[in-house]
């Protein structure tokens, strides 16, 4: 059995799920976790953040329910409403980090969300991936090159297709997959104890 974490780096609820995900991976080091990017802000939804009037209220709810931090730099980034969340760019970045350090996909995915939601860095900029890579002790040049390569776009779109094939339409979603059997462990929000109880039922 393996776990598949389908998230979007620009999804506030995915940011809120970070602590749970880290706890689950700590409790179950034997379980392989694959990270798949969803396409929350693509196509017609790739518009200035002011078009999503619910963002501030949703962030307050996420912080209250999960304890997730939304930093001052992030608040400044989105203050005028012109920032555009581009999930394809973010998925390219996830793919680049995953390519360079496949065994650290969970750690690096959550680091990307910290870069946006706390440090206020755009996930469309190569400089952000350089910063994240350097902080993680990775070859920053290799990560940036992977982010900018055409293969990253192919990988991002492949992630979007895979999320759809698993029937995932909201983020985050944590799945347990054993052969042909796919069982949702968390949809949107769950504690590590809740996920553990569902895992125990499967075993």
């Amino acid at each position: 059995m393996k776990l598949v974490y389908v998230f979007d780096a620009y999804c506030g609820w995915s940011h809120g799920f970070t602590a749970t995900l880290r706890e689950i991976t700590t409790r179950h080091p034997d379980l392989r976790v694959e990270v798949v990017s969803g396409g929350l802000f693509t196509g017609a939804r790739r518009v200035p953040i002011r078009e999503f009037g619910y963002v501030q209220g949703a962030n307050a709810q996420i912080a209250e329910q999960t304890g997730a931090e939304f930093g001052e730099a992030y608040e400044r980034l989105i203050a005028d409403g012109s920032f555009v969340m581009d999930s394809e760019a973010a998925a390219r970045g996830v793919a680049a980090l995953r390519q360079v350090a496949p065994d650290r996909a969970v750690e690096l995915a959550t680091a990307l969300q910290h870069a946006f939601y706390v440090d206020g860095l755009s996930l469309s900029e190569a400089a952000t991936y350089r910063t994240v890579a350097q902080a993680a002790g990775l070859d920053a040049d290799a990560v940036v090159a992977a982010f900018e390569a055409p293969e990253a776009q192919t990988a991002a779109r492949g992630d979007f297709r895979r999320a759809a094939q698993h029937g995932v339409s909201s983020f985050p979603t944590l799945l347990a997959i054993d052969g042909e059997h796919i069982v949702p462990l968390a949809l949107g929000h769950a504690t590590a104890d809740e996920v553990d109880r569902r895992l125990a039922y499967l075993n």
Side-chain angles (χ1 to χ4, degrees), residues 4-11 14 34-42 86-98 105 108-110 112-113 123 129 147 152-166 168-173:
V4 174
Y5 178 58
V6 187
F7 88 124
D8 192 287
Y10 276 126
C11 168
S14 295
E34 296 180 2
V35 175
V36 177
S37 292
L40 185 58
F41 299 105
T42 59
D86 180 349
S87 290
E88 185 172 295
R92 283 167 42 217
V94 172
L97 289 163
R98 194 171 58 201
L108 295 167
T110 58
L112 271 192
Q113 296 214 276
L123 303 184
Y129 299 96
F147 172 67
Q153 187 175 62
T154 301
R157 291 176 179 174
D159 273 16
F160 298 163
R161 285 195 300 273
R162 188 175 176 201
Q165 288 165 357
H166 286 325
V168 176
S169 58
S170 62
F171 315 107
T173 294

Side-chain angles (χ1 to χ4, degrees), residues 121-145:
L121 302 178
S122 168
L123 303 184
S124 295
E125 300 293 332
T128 297
Y129 299 96
R130 181 172 298 280
T131 298
V132 170
Q134 288 172 339
L138 301 177
D139 182 336
D141 289 340
V143 170
V144 170

Side-chain angles (χ1 to χ4, degrees), residues 28-151:
H28 301 280
D30 54 316
L31 274 179
R32 183 161 59 96
V33 184
E34 296 180 2
V35 175
V36 177
S37 292
L40 185 58
F41 299 105
T42 59
R45 287 176 59 82
R46 194 159 42 193
V47 296
I49 201 168
R50 70 170 67 91
E51 301 291 326
F52 303 100
Y54 58 81
V55 168
Q56 302 287 35
N59 289 348
Q61 184 181 3
I62 293 163
E64 181 179 354
Q65 287 196 24
T66 70
E69 177 186 359
F70 293 84
E72 291 182 7
Y74 161 77
E75 299 292 352
R76 288 194 299 271
L77 177 69
I78 68 166
D80 69 355
S82 64
F83 183 77
V84 176
M85 295 181 290
D86 180 349
S87 290
E88 185 172 295
R92 283 167 42 217
V94 172
L97 289 163
R98 194 171 58 201
Q99 176 182 321
V100 173
D103 295 336
R104 298 172 65 185
V106 168
E107 169 199 346
L108 295 167
T110 58
L112 271 192
Q113 296 214 276
H114 189 281
F116 175 59
Y117 280 108
V118 179
D119 298 333
L121 302 178
S122 168
L123 303 184
S124 295
E125 300 293 332
T128 297
Y129 299 96
R130 181 172 298 280
T131 298
V132 170
Q134 288 172 339
L138 301 177
D139 182 336
D141 289 340
V143 170
V144 170
F147 172 67
E148 294 177 335
E151 291 80 4

